[in-house]
Amino acid sequence: MRFLVNPECYHKMCESCVDRIFSQGPAPCPVAGCARTLRKQRFRKQTFEDLQIEREVDVRRRVAATFNRRESEFQTLRDYNNYLEEVETLTFNLLYNIDVAITEAKLASYAKQNAADIANNKALSAQESASTEARMAAQKEQARLRREAARIEEEEERREREEGRREIIEKIAHSTDDPDKIVREGQKVVLKKSTARRNAADRLRAQDAASVDNASAPLFQIAGLRPITQPQLEQVYDPFGGYVVKPSYFELQPSYAHPWLEKAKTDPQILAGGYDVGEYCARTMMEACAGLGVFVEEEVARRERAADADLGTQSAAIAGGEGGGSGSDVL
């Protein structure tokens, strides 16, 4: 037994009862308390187990068919969000039977006033669906061609190996040269043939892929979409933040004569953890010469001049304020 539902009232009825009651034409729903008039052609198989979900899906599909505006049609994002909120309010009213008559009147009025825009957006959606299906079909065809090309390439490679093997055996049988030399030369010839054939197959596949991509290109452009920004590649970590240490006050030597350094170059206990004597020497020289470019007297003088300039500015401001205050008192 198969049960059917009608989107007018969503009451379940078996298929035989639908044929018996509604075969002669429209008739009222036989469920007690339901006065809806039903038609046989509108009965369909139930999709969801919960009839409330079945009804909600139908209502949302019907509302979305009328309110099919796109974000690109609005001036700001707030306007688009307000539009979505209004559509959701109408949908909620229909789902929970709140002001159904007023809501249906709003739907009918909007559909009548914006019939051209609704039809245009519906056509755009149909074109998008067709373009997506065409692209998916092209991708499937391209995958099938790749699989077929891989199978043919494998068969060609197997055939070339067999032919090369037979040629090597024939040369060994009819020649007095070294067999190892003949085998090496034969393998080189087979490798060259395989490489040339593989390169030709790759070029052919690239041409086919380009033709498929051009054929599956969309036939229209949607206006108002935001440009897609590609994420920036992660840069290599630089612990100095771009600062380059220039040893202008010293010159690093390849080696330094010191008993401990000589021992560290060959001691496994020191070198096991990745210790580098050259890095130690470079760091030591840099720390030793780090203060050579710092002149404390000049820094102190600059600091004192800056402090004197700030003090003079504050004194002038205080004097100006006092003068203005005395003038106002006199007035």
Side-chain angles (χ1 to χ4, degrees), residues 209-224:
S211 62
V212 170
D213 292 339
N214 293 332
S216 60
L219 301 178
F220 65 94
Q221 298 291 335
I222 300 176

Side-chain angles (χ1 to χ4, degrees), residues 86-205:
E86 183 179 358
V87 173
E88 188 63 26
T89 301
L90 297 176
T91 305
F92 184 85
N93 292 342
L94 292 178
L95 289 176
Y96 295 95
N97 297 322
I98 301 174
D99 298 333
V100 178
I102 299 176
T103 304
E104 292 289 352
K106 289 182 178 180
L107 285 174
S109 175
Y110 180 85
K112 183 179 180 180
Q113 294 176 2
N114 303 273
D117 295 335
I118 294 174
N120 186 27
N121 290 335
K122 185 177 180 181
L124 289 178
S125 299
Q127 290 180 2
E128 288 179 351
S129 300
S131 177
T132 302
E133 292 178 358
R135 189 180 298 108
M136 293 178 62
Q139 292 176 355
K140 290 181 179 179
E141 180 66 17
Q142 189 174 1
R144 187 189 66 80
L145 293 176
R146 286 197 300 266
R147 291 194 299 269
E148 184 68 18
R151 184 185 62 81
I152 296 175
E153 183 178 355
E154 185 178 356
E155 292 180 356
E156 291 289 337
E157 188 174 355
R158 187 184 302 111
R159 183 181 59 80
E160 289 179 358
R161 286 199 303 266
E162 291 295 332
E163 292 180 356
R165 180 171 174 272
R166 287 196 298 267
E167 291 178 359
I168 292 173
I169 292 175
E170 290 180 358
K171 288 182 179 180
I172 292 175
H174 298 87
S175 178
T176 58
D177 295 338
D178 185 11
D180 295 336
K181 181 179 179 182
I182 295 175
V183 171
R184 287 194 298 269
E185 292 178 354
Q187 290 177 350
K188 289 181 180 179
V189 172
V190 173
L191 181 60
K192 289 182 180 179
K193 290 182 179 179
S194 300
T195 304
R197 178 183 48 77
R198 192 176 296 109
N199 293 335
D202 292 340
R203 288 194 298 269
L204 183 60
R205 281 197 294 269

Side-chain angles (χ1 to χ4, degrees), residues 18-28 37-41 43:
V18 171
D19 294 335
R20 178 175 55 85
I21 298 174
F22 302 97
S23 295
Q24 303 299 327
T37 301
L38 308 181
R39 290 170 175 79
K40 181 180 178 181
Q41 62 269 20
F43 280 92

Side-chain angles (χ1 to χ4, degrees), residues 275-297:
Y275 189 82
D276 188 3
V277 177
E279 292 183 1
Y280 166 76
C281 296
R283 179 170 56 84
T284 304
M285 292 298 296
M286 185 179 66
E287 292 176 354
C289 303
L292 294 180
V294 178
F295 302 96
V296 180
E297 296 179 354

